[in-house]
Amino acid sequence: MRDRALCAALSDAELSLLNRSAVRRRLVRGEALFHAGGSARCGNLISGLLKISAVDSEGREQIVALAFPGDFVGRLDGSEPHDVTALGPAELCLFPRAVMAAALDRHRRMEQLLMARTRAAMDEARDRLSRWLRGPAEDRVMALLTELAARAGSPSFTLPLTRGDMADALGLTLETVSRVMSRLRAAGRIQAAGRTRITLPPA
Amino acid sequence: MRDRALCAALSDAELSLLNRSAVRRRLVRGEALFHAGGSARCGNLISGLLKISAVDSEGREQIVALAFPGDFVGRLDGSEPHDVTALGPAELCLFPRAVMAAALDRHRRMEQLLMARTRAAMDEARDRLSRWLRGPAEDRVMALLTELAARAGSPSFTLPLTRGDMADALGLTLETVSRVMSRLRAAGRIQAAGRTRITLPPA
DNA sequence: CGCCGGTTTGAAATCCGTCAATTTCCGTGG
DNA sequence: CCACGGAAATTGACGGATTTCAAACCGGCG
């Protein structure tokens, strides 16, 4: 994990120093890590999957990003504009903001890594604008499934989101997602064992 | 302008040094600054408005961001994943990538400014996910107009986008945008003189 | 004056959202 | 081990909003 996280920039000595203020945290499905408004901590996702979401004025939830293992979560300035919630069992390594900020200040390489990640997150958000939130529902669902397969590193994977979560991510309703999944299965564009075991044909 | 751009971090001497490799560029409406794939330059938008867009497999364009005066455009690593096009007459100050990268390497403050901007751009993209690309067409159009009014610093402004551009930004069709604009005008939710002079009522 | 890009408007078809009824899955307790 | 309960998912019907296709309109510029 360490090589995937920001800590890759640190020496062993520095790492153990940082680790003294580290807090391990485990979440279960649906448990909130942060709420919109602020947080005193930030850190890395070790395992599991998080959703980063906003709730609009009508009370509907929009997922603006997913966090995968190795991703940095939280803000250095404590301004957390979104809710961050576990989609399943998840494990994190958290630090007080001040500690993280000091580490970044000390290690330029670490700061550059964070910069690169932020850029990547921006590109991902923009990508989603074009690939997940336009066009017919079928295309959106396929785009999401394709992304998850890519992240899983295999065309066969366990779907970590409920239909409702998928709907919130894609800007659709739960029912539409369900119908589309059924249609995709019937058309042979995906294979499904149970409700969460998905396989994408080579195509 | 300088105080709004990254150069705010530089001393006069450093600035004049940097300026020796600066290139001024003017664009007319529809003229491309970058094409998806790569570019050798990056810099600041001085005046005018740019659209940053991707073209999907069906040939439709999705605007993933707008660039306003003072915004940084281009990438330090040359990987430009989007098309960047002028929405109207625009003026830029460009540098070779290597020069910009060296300046950032030398001036930590400048690098931090760029970092802050990248974060802001990410938040903006995520915001748009929830505010521009879901809900009824009327809400989306109003959200765009409100944003433009805020950027213009006045409830009365000249619409810099064609109906087609608005549609590409909002994930709608040109016709729907036109219909919605007519409806909004009829309902008194906006005032329009000619096709581009817009005024938003105080609300 | 007439072209042309941009815009408006219309009518029909389609897709998606809403409301509502079932059904499936899965963990829990008997 | 099975039955039960509830959450998640599926499916159906219907209405409305948006897209699509098509035609007409406006305004600037050669």
Side-chain angles (χ1 to χ4, degrees), chain B residues 44-108:
Chain B
N44 286 292
L45 178 59
I46 305 294
S47 67
L49 210 54
L50 308 179
K51 65 176 175 184
I52 299 169
S53 60
V55 180
D56 70 17
S57 43
E58 282 85 20
R60 290 178 312 192
E61 183 178 16
Q62 169 68 42
I63 295 179
V64 298
L66 298 176
F68 292 84
D71 284 354
F72 180 81
V73 293
R75 303 286 175 122
L76 290 171
D77 58 4
S79 71
E80 183 56 59
H82 300 291
D83 294 323
V84 181
T85 313
L87 287 170
E91 195 179 0
L92 294 110
C93 177
L94 297 175
F95 303 90
R97 282 198 288 119
V99 170
M100 180 60 81
L104 287 170
D105 200 53
R106 226 176 136 85
H107 302 282
R108 189 136 198 220

Side-chain angles (χ1 to χ4, degrees), chain A residues 136-137 173 175-176 179 195:
Chain A
T173 61
E175 295 94 324
T176 298
R179 269 186 261 272
R195 283 201 272 231

